[in-house]
Amino acid sequence: LIQLFEFGNQSGVVLNRASFDVPTSPIALAGFSKTRENIGDFRGKLENDSLFQGVRFLLSDIVSSAQGFSFTLSVSRTSSNTR
């Protein structure tokens, strides 16, 4: 989970929730960013890192507000990273 928050910090994204049921289940994330581009950068970091696979993210998962953009996505850990 630390890597997720580091990617968020590097991308200008604040993660305010990360949850999962068991080590092999996908991680559900919710966060906020001032720009859509920062969210895209965060997604790219997840997709390009060998610790993670199966990033599920739709443009409809972004909600615009006067302060910026809230979003949700889910990501799975690679099978060698679930222990």
Side-chain angles (χ1 to χ4, degrees), residues 5-57:
F5 285 91
E6 287 179 4
F7 282 164
N9 194 31
Q10 293 167 5
S11 300
V13 165
V14 175
L15 294 177
N16 49 32
R17 186 186 60 183
S19 61
F20 61 93
D21 293 325
V22 294
T24 56
S25 68
I27 302 168
L29 301 172
F32 176 83
S33 176
K34 291 187 178 185
T35 70
R36 284 179 178 261
E37 291 79 13
N38 289 353
I39 298 169
D41 183 51
F42 176 64
R43 178 184 178 187
K45 287 183 185 308
L46 294 175
E47 290 175 335
N48 292 318
D49 192 281
S50 63
L51 295 176
F52 305 106
Q53 64 184 8
V55 177
R56 293 197 47 164
F57 175 74

